[in-house]
């Protein structure tokens, strides 16, 4: 038995993925662009053994039930199918991410699992192939194979739908302040939420145009370190993604009262001359984008209002590592 451990960091999308064209292969409706973060990661160890009589999944020291481990077991089936491995596995995973609170733990989880499981099954995959494999677990995991700014090119099949590094070494002093407003499991998963947006929101066709325009505009802004343009695009893109939840049938929202208060705080900071913008995923927690000289002003205000223990300051993080 050889155990392989991989570490993958989560990522925050600046131009969001919100909808699948193929729900089985997880081919998205649009491309997306993210920043991998240094503070949030998952370490996953996988070992296949002839003595195992079933797959076992241990997450943060707790053994998952058959139901809770279903996605992971399906992913292991895929790895077995690709590699010819026939044995069952034990997967031991530690999440250094507040789980299911909109900090995209599935991104780091499936990226780390793709790395550890494929290598434990004897495969030596390129990073592009790891990205394709991670995609089969969770869309956002496609991007977590790479560090820094990453683009997931939508593509149209398993081969063409893959992430590519946009800028792995980020030489721009930027930070993402994660504000944890509610640690609880989200009521509508991203998977359900995006599917309902694709099938019921009348604004979905417009979203596809928004994403194409935002990607075209944000890339040169990032390369030029144009903070205002980058910030304006990422904030508007996040709000337009959330407009797809409000316009779905039945309508729903990931915001809570504190989310709206925190958005206003960011706008007030901006009005006071502190350059910062927010984004948020399928949960109530805000992530505030700023440049490091503005970090003290941002964290002081957010800590005063919401508590210093609710803040995590993250910077650009690395791609997948084998430990
Ligand atoms: C709002 O990757 O969690 O974070 O592919 O169904 O597993 P599945 O969804 P997931 O969705 C992420 C949605 C998002 C935006 C993003 O990360 O691009």
């Amino acid at each position: 038995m050889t155990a392989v451990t991989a570490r993958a960091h989560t990522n925050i999308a600046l131009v969001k993925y919100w909808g699948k064209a193929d729900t089985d292969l997880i081919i998205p409706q649009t491309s997306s662009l993210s920043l991998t973060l240094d503070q949030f990661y998952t370490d996953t160890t996988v070992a296949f053994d002839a003595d195992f009589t079933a797959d076992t999944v241990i997450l943060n020291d707790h053994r998952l039930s058959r139901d809770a481990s279903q996605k992971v077991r399906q992913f292991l089936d895929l790895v077995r199918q690709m590699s010819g491995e026939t044995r069952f596995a034990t997967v031991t995973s530690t999440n250094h991410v507040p789980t299911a609170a909109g900090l995209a733990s599935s991104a780091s989880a499936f990226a780390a699992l793709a790395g550890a499981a494929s290598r434990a099954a004897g495969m030596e995959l390129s990073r592009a192939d790891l990205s394709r494999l991670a995609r089969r677990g969770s869309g956002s995991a496609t991007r977590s194979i790479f560090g820094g700014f990453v683009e997931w090119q939508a593509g149209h099949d398993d081969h063409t739908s893959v992430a590519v590094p946009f800028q792995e070494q980020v030489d721009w002093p930027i930070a993402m302040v994660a504000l944890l407003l509610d640690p609880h499991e989200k009521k509508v998963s991203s998977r359900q939420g995006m599917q309902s947006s694709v099938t019921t929101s009348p604004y979905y066709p417009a979203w596809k145009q928004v994403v194409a325009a935002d990607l075209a505009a944000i890339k040169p802004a990032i390369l030029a370190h144009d903070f205002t343009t980058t910030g304006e695009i990422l904030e508007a893109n996040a709000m337009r993604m959330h407009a797809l939840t409000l316009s779905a049938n039945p309508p729903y929202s990931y915001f809570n009262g504190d989310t709206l208060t925190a958005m206003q705080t960011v706008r007030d900071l901006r009005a006071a001359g502190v350059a910062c913008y927010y984004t948020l995923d399928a949960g109530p927690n805000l992530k505030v984008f700023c440049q490091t000289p503005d970090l003290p002003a941002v964290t002081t205000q957010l800590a005063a209002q919401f508590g210093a223990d609710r803040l995590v300051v993250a910077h650009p993080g690395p791609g997948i590592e084998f430990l």
Side-chain angles (χ1 to χ4, degrees):
M1 175 178 82
T2 7
V4 176
T5 304
R7 171 173 296 176
H9 289 73
T10 193
N11 67 80
I12 176 82
L14 311 184
V15 177
K16 309 286 186 193
Y17 145 57
W18 195 249
K20 297 175 180 68
D22 181 325
T23 51
D24 188 33
L25 288 175
I26 312 197
I27 310 291
Q29 289 269 356
T30 67
S31 298
S32 54
L33 190 135
S34 61
L35 178 66
T36 301
L37 300 177
D38 63 350
Q39 290 298 312
F40 307 104
Y41 58 91
T42 302
D43 286 342
T44 297
T45 302
V46 176
F48 290 94
D49 193 305
D51 290 340
F52 296 156
T53 51
D55 290 324
T56 304
V57 182
I58 298 160
L59 174 62
N60 298 334
D61 294 328
H62 294 289
R63 189 183 167 139
L64 298 188
S65 67
R66 272 189 73 74
D67 267 5
S69 64
Q70 198 203 3
K71 272 196 198 174
V72 173
R73 289 185 293 106
Q74 281 173 350
F75 193 85
L76 290 170
D77 286 341
L78 176 66
V79 171
R80 277 186 284 258
Q81 195 189 317
M82 285 169 70
S83 63
E85 173 63 69
T86 52
R87 298 169 295 176
F88 287 111
T90 294
V91 175
T92 313
S93 199
T94 312
N95 239 344
H96 301 267
V97 179
T99 302
L103 279 161
S105 60
S106 68
S108 54
F110 279 101
L113 181 63
S118 61
R119 215 175 253 205
M123 289 189 288
E124 275 295 334
L125 300 182
S126 65
R127 292 202 303 168
D129 280 338
L130 282 177
S131 170
R132 292 182 182 98
L133 177 58
R135 195 196 73 233
R136 304 288 294 274
S138 182
S140 50
T142 314
R143 301 181 304 238
S144 268
I145 299 298
F146 300 102
F149 290 103
V150 183
E151 182 178 8
W152 175 13
Q153 298 178 339
H156 52 84
D157 60 14
D158 181 51
H159 188 75
T160 52
S161 188
V162 64
V164 291
F166 178 66
Q167 187 176 68
E168 280 229 87
Q169 300 303 325
V170 179
D171 60 349
W172 188 11
I174 48 170
M176 197 61 86
V177 182
L179 175 60
L180 188 66
L181 294 170
D182 181 357
H184 297 109
E185 187 94 17
K186 51 201 173 199
K187 287 186 200 74
V188 182
S189 70
S190 341
R191 194 152 292 190
Q192 293 168 291
M194 66 176 75
Q195 190 56 19
S196 127
S197 294
V198 172
T199 53
T200 70
S201 171
Y203 304 153
Y204 202 80
W207 165 251
K208 289 169 65 165
Q209 289 172 10
V210 161
V211 169
D214 286 351
L215 280 172
I218 205 169
K219 288 195 218 173
I222 289 170
L223 294 177
H225 295 185
D226 178 344
F227 182 77
T228 306
T229 304
T230 305
E232 284 176 358
I233 293 170
L234 70 88
E235 190 171 293
N237 185 272
M239 293 305 266
R240 286 167 170 182
M241 183 204 106
H242 285 273
L244 296 173
T245 72
L246 298 170
S247 57
N249 188 15
Y252 63 99
S253 174
Y254 292 108
F255 300 168
N256 66 21
D258 284 344
T259 313
L260 298 173
T261 305
M263 287 175 183
Q264 188 57 45
T265 301
V266 173
R267 288 191 287 263
D268 290 346
L269 276 165
R270 232 164 29 221
V274 180
C276 56
Y277 294 87
Y278 61 78
T279 182
L280 72 170
D281 285 337
N285 305 310
L286 228 59
K287 290 90 186 177
V288 183
F289 179 62
C290 65
Q291 295 176 103
T292 46
D294 291 311
L295 204 44
V298 171
T299 53
T300 304
Q301 181 58 38
L302 292 176
Q305 239 176 304
F306 299 97
D309 55 336
R310 303 257 192 116
L311 302 184
V312 182
V313 177
H315 295 282
I320 190 165
E321 299 156 317
F322 289 93
L323 306 180

